[in-house]
Amino acid sequence: MKTQLSHYRISLVCRLLNVSRSGYYAWLNRPAKSTVLTGHIKKQYWYHKARLGAPSLVHDARDKSYHVSERTISRVLQHLGLRSKAARKFKYKTDSGSGH
């Protein structure tokens, strides 16, 4: 949309894209998504050995004073291509060949 503004008026471009002018200006002034948050999520994900998903990572992010929702963290994880893996279950080792 920014590239078209050099050729067309804002009102025309907004009408063609079915976007309100106020919505466009709100989007224009909105801060970019934080790469610091993405780095924090990635660091916590690998710190916990890729076992935590979005619901658990929300608590870590909120402890570091990031105001994010579970959905936001889920989207960041999807964008990075990270998925949590289930922890291995504990199995008792039985040695049936010991002859006891």
Side-chain angles (χ1 to χ4, degrees):
M1 187 166 175
K2 286 182 182 180
T3 59
Q4 300 300 324
L5 292 179
S6 61
H7 303 291
Y8 302 103
R9 294 187 324 234
I10 291 175
S11 59
L12 178 65
V13 174
C14 288
R15 190 169 1 119
L16 290 174
L17 294 175
N18 199 21
V19 176
S20 67
R21 282 182 38 208
S22 62
Y24 167 72
Y25 285 116
W27 171 79
L28 195 61
N29 294 326
R30 190 176 303 151
K33 292 207 178 207
S34 175
T35 57
V36 176
L37 174 65
T38 303
H40 173 73
I41 291 172
K42 189 190 272 188
K43 185 173 93 174
Q44 288 299 315
Y45 177 82
W46 290 114
Y47 176 75
H48 292 286
K49 300 178 183 171
R51 304 237 193 276
L52 295 185
S56 300
L57 288 172
V58 167
H59 301 296
D60 288 340
R62 289 184 181 158
D63 289 344
K64 292 290 184 181
S65 71
Y66 290 107
H67 300 289
V68 292
S69 65
E70 181 180 326
R71 185 175 181 193
T72 302
I73 292 185
S74 176
R75 286 182 178 177
V76 169
L77 288 173
Q78 285 178 353
H79 178 72
L80 294 173
L82 302 176
R83 294 188 59 158
S84 63
K85 55 184 177 180
R88 289 189 179 171
K89 303 212 183 247
F90 179 77
K91 283 184 164 182
Y92 286 102
K93 183 175 179 182
T94 57
D95 190 8
S96 59
S98 66
H100 294 324

